């Protein structure tokens, strides 16, 4: 039942219950203190009355005219409606000598079973009295006895009124605290409702919505900030996924269309063996292009998702460079490009697989953007405890303003001498990201129509 209530009602009930317990304890203490004070006052009144008579008889030899007439004229001895004090004086034979006027038809009896000056309660004409008694001693001889009593009626009435007042105040106070607690809980949970409302309107196509931060930097502020941060990361990942999907579709569409068109041309009519070989070789090149695109997309995806599972290894960088040159031998021969390599052997500790991809991508670009019969130089140098590899070509180069964007994904220079060059614009972007992972500084320098130089510093 309690779990089905809303959070603000649960908070209100919790505070009301806690307040009720505290209020009960406070009211009980108030009643106890008042009751104790009233009893103490009555005890003190009796004690003073008894002591006054005991002290008085010490100087009086007889009980005759023991109490002056003006004493009996006091209100406390004549009135029974307002804090009355009842007095009875007995001689040594327990014969009544004096009686306060407010005891008209009755008298206070000496109780032999009670100790002196020890108050006790008795019912007297439907009124409860607090009684105390003492011997009257003159020069060591008992000459009489005094019995005094005070009514508890008014004190009891005061306690009854207090009890009624507390009983009325208690439920009203609990109801008031519940209402106030519910109002406070409603205001306190408003940021939570704001979180819920914002979360309900957020969808894949509406990820820009954010939770409004509370003014107070409390736990709800931290919750809202954390959720907003989560939404930022989620939006970033979804945007990247959409971009990756769109880019992959766009880049794969071209070679697939070429393969499809080439195959459709082949089946339209019979062709010579040379024509078949030419078209098949052309198709295989597009397949290779597709394969390289898929490989690059996979690498890009792993980089962005931090899912590259590789370990540091120790290797000779010269072996990596020679292996890369060997892989692109056919591409190099197509354009009759000469590669001059004069670099020293250097043992490095790094991510060998990633270094291979970086060098492959840089070397591929150098070959693709070199002119026919071009020259590529690969050399190394060491300086300030750093080892650098330079891959430099004398190809078409690029403008200075293009250097700003050359590392961006899918960026390609749109000029006449680059339109015939195949590519996806992913190579340098991937090389740049992998270089950061490998702690390699990648610098690009280029002059249009003169060539490009890429420096990899380990």
């Amino acid at each position: 039942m309690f779990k089905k209530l809303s959070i603000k009602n649960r908070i209100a009930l919790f505070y009301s219950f806690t307040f009720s317990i505290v209020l009960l304890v406070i009211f009980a203490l108030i009643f106890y203190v008042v009751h104790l004070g009233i009893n103490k006052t009555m005890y003190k009144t009796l004690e003073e009355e008894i002591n006054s008579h005991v002290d008085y008889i010490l100087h009086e030899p007889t009980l005759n005219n023991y109490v002056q007439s003006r004493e009996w004229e006091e209100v406390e001895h004549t009135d029974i409606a307002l804090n009355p004090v009842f007095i009875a004086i007995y001689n040594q034979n327990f014969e009544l000598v004096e009686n306060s006027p407010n005891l008209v038809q009755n008298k206070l009896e000496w109780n032999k079973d009670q100790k002196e000056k020890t108050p006790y309660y008795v019912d007297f004409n439907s009124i409860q009295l607090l009684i105390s008694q003492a011997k009257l001693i003159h020069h060591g001889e008992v000459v009489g006895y005094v019995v005094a009593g005070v009514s508890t009626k008014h004190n009891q009435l005061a306690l009854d009124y207090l009890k009624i007042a507390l009983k009325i105040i208690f439920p009203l106070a609990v109801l008031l605290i519940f209402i106030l607690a519910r109002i406070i809980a409603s205001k306190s949970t408003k940021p939570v409702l704001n979180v819920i409302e914002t979360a309900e309107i957020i969808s894949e196509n509406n990820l820009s919505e954010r939770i409004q931060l509370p003014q107070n930097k409390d736990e709800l502020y931290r919750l809202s900030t954390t959720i907003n941060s989560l939404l930022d990361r989620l939006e970033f990942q979804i945007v990247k996924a959409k971009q990756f999907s769109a880019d992959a579709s766009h880049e794969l569409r071209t070679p697939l269309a070429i393969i499809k068109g080439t195959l459709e041309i082949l089946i339209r009519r019979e062709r010579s063996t040379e024509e078949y070989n030419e078209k098949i070789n052309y198709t295989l090149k597009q397949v290779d292009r597709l394969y390289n695109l898929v490989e690059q997309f996979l690498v890009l995806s792993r980089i962005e998702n931090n899912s590259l599972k590789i370990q540091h290894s120790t290797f000779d960088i010269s072996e990596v460079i020679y292996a890369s040159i060997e892989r692109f031998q056919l591409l190099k021969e197509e354009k009759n490009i000469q590669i001059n390599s004069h670099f020293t052997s250097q043992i490095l500790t790094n991510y060998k697989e990633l270094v291979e991809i970086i060098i492959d991508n840089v070397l591929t670009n150098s070959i693709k953007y070199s002119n026919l019969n071009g020259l590529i130089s690969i050399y190394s140098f060491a300086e300030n405890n750093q080892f650098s590899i330079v891959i430099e070509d004398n190809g078409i180069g690029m403008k200075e303003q293009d250097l700003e964007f050359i590392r961006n994904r899918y960026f390609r220079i749109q000029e006449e001498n680059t339109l015939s060059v195949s590519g996806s614009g992913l190579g340098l972007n991937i090389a740049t990201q992998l270089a950061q992972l490998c702690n390699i500084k990648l610098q690009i320098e280029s002059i249009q129509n003169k060539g490009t130089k890429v420096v990899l510093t380990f």
Side-chain angles (χ1 to χ4, degrees), residues 208-220:
S208 59
E209 290 290 335
R210 292 295 180 269
I211 297 165
Q212 186 178 357
L213 298 177
Q215 292 181 350
N216 297 326
K217 294 187 176 182
D218 50 13
E219 291 79 2
L220 288 175

Side-chain angles (χ1 to χ4, degrees), residues 295-296 298-304 306-315 317 320-321 324 327 348-363 389 391 427-440 442 456 458:
E295 285 295 316
Q296 288 183 331
L298 287 174
V299 171
L300 200 58
S301 174
R302 289 168 184 163
I303 293 171
E304 293 179 342
N306 299 318
S307 59
L308 283 171
K309 304 296 182 182
I310 51 175
Q311 299 291 331
H312 276 95
S313 61
T314 302
F315 57 93
I317 189 62
V320 173
I321 296 173
S324 181
R327 277 192 291 275
L348 301 175
T349 300
N350 210 308
Y351 300 113
K352 182 181 178 181
E353 296 88 342
L354 302 188
V355 173
E356 288 176 346
I357 296 173
I358 294 170
I359 292 176
D360 281 354
N361 285 357
V362 173
L363 185 56
I389 295 172
I391 301 175
L428 275 180
N429 178 264
I430 291 174
T432 300
Q433 293 192 61
L434 292 180
Q436 291 176 348
L437 289 176
C438 297
N439 196 25
I440 298 172
L442 190 152
L456 301 173
F458 294 83

Side-chain angles (χ1 to χ4, degrees), residues 2 9 21 52 97 118 167 186 188 204 208 217 219 222 276 281 314 317 323 336 374 378 414 431 437 441:
F2 184 75
N9 285 330
I21 299 299
S52 66
V97 177
T118 303
K167 285 180 179 179
S186 180
S188 300
E204 184 180 347
S208 59
K217 294 187 176 182
E219 291 79 2
R222 289 180 58 192
Y276 276 121
N281 286 330
T314 302
I317 189 62
N336 192 28
I378 304 176
Q414 301 298 321
L437 289 176
K441 185 179 180 181

Side-chain angles (χ1 to χ4, degrees), residues 442-455:
L442 190 152
Q443 294 173 285
I444 302 174
E445 300 172 9
S446 185
I447 300 175
Q448 193 172 23
N449 299 322
K450 287 191 175 183
T452 301
K453 180 170 72 173
V454 178
V455 182

Side-chain angles (χ1 to χ4, degrees), residues 12 19 38 70 115 154 165 176 188 192 197 203 219 232 243 264 285 296 324 334 341 343 370 421 424 453:
F19 178 79
I38 288 174
R70 62 178 177 273
K115 295 181 180 179
H154 296 88
L176 181 62
S188 300
V192 178
E197 291 171 359
S203 65
E219 291 79 2
D232 289 338
Q243 182 184 10
E264 286 175 346
K285 287 181 181 178
Q296 288 183 331
S324 181
E334 283 182 3
S341 57
F343 48 84
S370 289
V421 180
S424 61
K453 180 170 72 173

Side-chain angles (χ1 to χ4, degrees), residues 88-359:
I89 305 296
Y90 293 90
N91 61 19
Q92 58 187 359
N93 298 318
F94 295 101
E95 295 173 349
L96 185 63
V97 177
E98 294 282 356
N99 201 23
S100 58
N102 49 15
L103 290 172
V104 180
Q105 298 177 344
N106 302 284
K107 62 181 179 178
L108 298 178
E109 300 288 348
W110 176 270
N111 192 336
K112 296 180 180 180
D113 298 326
Q114 291 292 333
K115 295 181 180 179
E116 292 184 60
K117 297 183 179 181
T118 303
Y120 60 94
Y121 290 97
V122 296
D123 290 329
F124 187 79
N125 289 342
S126 71
I127 298 176
Q128 189 181 54
L129 298 181
L130 182 64
I131 304 294
S132 184
Q133 56 189 24
K135 295 176 182 177
L136 299 175
I137 300 174
H138 181 72
H139 296 306
E141 180 183 355
V142 178
V143 296
Y145 303 90
V146 59
V147 181
V150 293
S151 173
T152 64
K153 179 179 179 180
H154 296 88
N155 296 327
Q156 189 60 46
L157 282 174
L159 289 175
D160 290 342
Y161 287 137
L162 177 62
K163 192 183 295 183
I164 293 170
L166 294 179
K167 285 180 179 179
I168 294 173
I169 293 171
F170 179 74
L172 292 176
V174 172
L175 179 62
L176 181 62
I177 200 65
F178 175 79
I179 295 171
L180 292 175
R182 199 173 184 279
I183 294 172
I184 294 171
S186 180
K187 290 184 178 180
S188 300
T189 56
K190 190 176 180 180
V192 178
L193 297 176
N194 187 22
V195 171
I196 295 171
E197 291 171 359
T198 306
E200 286 176 345
I201 63 175
I202 290 175
S203 65
E204 184 180 347
N205 299 318
N206 185 26
L207 286 171
S208 59
E209 290 290 335
R210 292 295 180 269
I211 297 165
Q212 186 178 357
L213 298 177
Q215 292 181 350
N216 297 326
K217 294 187 176 182
D218 50 13
E219 291 79 2
L220 288 175
Y221 181 91
R222 289 180 58 192
L223 173 64
S224 301
T225 304
T226 303
I227 293 176
N228 282 344
S229 177
L230 173 64
L231 290 173
D232 289 338
R233 296 194 299 271
L234 183 62
E235 182 181 16
F236 179 71
Q237 292 299 327
I238 290 178
V239 168
K240 281 204 308 183
K242 286 183 176 181
Q243 182 184 10
F244 183 84
S245 176
D247 293 342
S249 301
H250 177 268
E251 293 298 325
L252 294 175
R253 188 183 296 117
T254 302
L256 283 173
I258 293 172
I259 292 171
K260 182 175 181 291
T262 304
L263 293 176
E264 286 175 346
I265 291 173
L266 279 177
I267 63 173
R268 283 178 185 172
R269 61 179 175 84
E270 290 291 332
R271 297 179 182 275
S272 65
T273 303
E274 291 77 12
E275 287 180 317
Y276 276 121
N277 287 336
E278 180 187 351
K279 295 298 181 184
I280 289 171
N281 286 330
Y282 183 72
T283 303
L284 286 174
K285 287 181 181 178
Q286 298 304 320
V287 171
D288 289 338
R289 182 182 173 188
L290 270 177
Y291 178 78
N292 290 330
L293 272 174
V294 171
E295 285 295 316
Q296 288 183 331
F297 277 128
L298 287 174
V299 171
L300 200 58
S301 174
R302 289 168 184 163
I303 293 171
E304 293 179 342
N305 294 324
N306 299 318
S307 59
L308 283 171
K309 304 296 182 182
I310 51 175
Q311 299 291 331
H312 276 95
S313 61
T314 302
F315 57 93
D316 190 339
I317 189 62
S318 61
E319 294 178 0
V320 173
I321 296 173
Y322 283 127
S324 181
I325 294 172
E326 183 65 28
R327 277 192 291 275
F328 299 109
Q329 187 66 28
L330 290 175
L331 185 61
K332 178 174 72 75
E333 289 177 354
E334 283 182 3
K335 301 181 73 172
N336 192 28
I337 292 173
Q338 182 183 352
I339 296 180
N340 289 338
S341 57
H342 42 91
F343 48 84
T344 59
S345 176
Q346 180 71 33
I347 304 300
L348 301 175
T349 300
N350 210 308
Y351 300 113
K352 182 181 178 181
E353 296 88 342
L354 302 188
V355 173
E356 288 176 346
I357 296 173
I358 294 170
I359 292 176

